[in-house]
Amino acid sequence: MKVRSSVFASFILIFEVVGIALFLRGFFPVPVKSSFSSKSSLSDQPKEPLAGDAPNSSRLPQPLFKRVVIMLVDALREDFVLGPSGRMYMPYTRHLVEKGSSQSFVAKARPPTVTMPRIKALTTGSIPGFIDVVMNLNSPALLEDNLIWQAKTAGKRIVFYGDDTWVRLFPKHFMEYDGTTSFFVSDYTEVRLSPTANAQAYSLQH
C-alpha cells in the first residue's frame, strides 16, 4: 500500500508540474520575432510593376497624400463611430469616413490589453506577451522593426500628441511631441484636451 501511495503521489506531483508549465507557457508566450535579424530597408521591399510598360519595368509607387493624420483612440468601440449612433457621438469623424477622405481600421485586441503591448503589436505586427505588462509603466525604447522607424527612415516628419508611452517607445522618432500621462485620475478630460489643443496649435502654425 505504501508503494502504491508513493507512486500515486509521484504521479500527482508530476501532473501538477506539467500543468503549471503548460499554464506558464500559455500565459507568458515566447514573443514572435520577425524573420529579419535587423530592420529592413525600403530597398528590400518588392517594387510595384508599371502599368502598360514592359513586364520587367518597375518602380516604387507614388504617395497618394502629402500629409497623413492618424487618430488612434484607445478602448473605443467600433460601433461608437461606425454604428448607428456614430452620427450622434462622433459626427465629424463619421462624416470624414462617409465622405471617403479618411479610412477606418478596427483592431481586435487580444490579451494583454494594456497600452504598451497594444502599441507594440500595432507598430511591429508582432504578438505581445504578458511579460510586456510588467514593462508597461516604464517602457523601454522599441528596437524591433516598426512602422514609426520606417516612416522616419523614409524622411517623413512625424508630430505626435497623446499618451507618453509612445514617446518612451520611440524617443528619437518625433520631430515635435507632447506626451501626456494617462494617470490623471482626478478628471476624465485632461488626456483628451491636451493632445487636441496641441494639434490645433500646430495646425495654425503650419
Side-chain angles (χ1 to χ4, degrees), residues 174-196:
F174 302 122
M175 178 190 71
E176 181 177 328
Y177 64 87
D178 186 11
T180 304
T181 177
S182 56
F183 285 96
F184 280 99
V185 294
S186 59
D187 64 74
Y188 299 96
T189 59
E190 183 67 28
V191 180
R192 175 178 61 86
L193 292 178
S194 179
T196 303

Side-chain angles (χ1 to χ4, degrees), residues 63-71 101 156-159:
L64 298 177
F65 306 99
K66 293 182 178 179
R67 180 179 297 180
V68 176
V69 177
I70 299 176
M71 183 181 72
S101 58
K156 306 301 181 183
R157 301 193 304 168
I158 310 174
V159 178

Side-chain angles (χ1 to χ4, degrees), residues 22-36:
L22 289 175
F23 171 78
L24 293 176
R25 178 65 180 85
F27 201 77
F28 297 101
V30 178
V32 177
K33 302 294 183 182
S34 172
S35 58
F36 296 100

Side-chain angles (χ1 to χ4, degrees), residues 96-168:
L96 292 178
V97 173
E98 291 179 344
K99 193 172 65 171
S101 58
S102 69
Q103 296 292 330
S104 59
F105 174 77
V106 179
K108 295 183 178 180
R110 295 289 186 270
T113 56
V114 293
T115 303
M116 193 275 281
R118 301 321 312 165
I119 297 176
K120 185 177 178 181
L122 286 170
T123 56
T124 66
S126 62
I127 301 175
F130 276 88
I131 195 65
D132 290 328
V133 177
V134 180
M135 299 182 291
N136 184 61
L137 300 179
N138 188 23
S139 307
L142 187 59
L143 302 179
E144 298 177 42
D145 195 356
N146 60 80
L147 181 65
I148 305 299
W149 183 87
Q150 290 289 347
K152 182 177 182 295
T153 304
K156 306 301 181 183
R157 301 193 304 168
I158 310 174
V159 178
F160 172 80
Y161 301 117
D163 195 307
D164 59 356
T165 306
W166 287 79
V167 180
R168 294 196 299 270

